């Protein structure tokens, strides 16, 4: 059975809180591409920064030690 890794904040691939790195690992995407997309999305009017902060608070940390 193929189990998918749970959605967590990344401790290895992070700039601020590891939210976008966690999404990139979960969806098997390039984190840089996701960050650029989020940056462009945050320029539009809307709650993008607030959603990022909410994710930073509610997403659990991964249990991988930082190397």
């Amino acid at each position: 059975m193929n189990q998918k890794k749970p959605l967590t904040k990344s401790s290895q691939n992070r700039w601020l809180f590891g939210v976008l790195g966690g999404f990139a690992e979960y969806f098997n995407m390039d984190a840089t591409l996701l960050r650029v997309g989020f940056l462009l999305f945050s320029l539009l009017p809307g709650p993008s920064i607030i959603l990022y902060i909410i994710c930073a608070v509610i997403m659990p940390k991964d249990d991988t030690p930082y190397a």
Side-chain angles (χ1 to χ4, degrees), residues 5-44:
K5 180 184 173 193
L7 179 60
T8 58
K9 292 186 279 189
S10 177
S11 62
Q12 304 290 325
N13 191 2
R14 63 184 295 170
W15 278 13
L16 291 176
F17 297 107
V19 172
L20 295 176
F23 275 109
E25 291 172 2
Y26 184 77
F27 291 112
N28 198 21
M29 296 176 60
D30 181 27
T32 303
L33 182 64
L34 195 60
R35 288 182 182 114
V36 169
F38 178 77
L39 179 66
L40 294 174
F41 181 68
S42 66
L43 295 175
L44 297 172

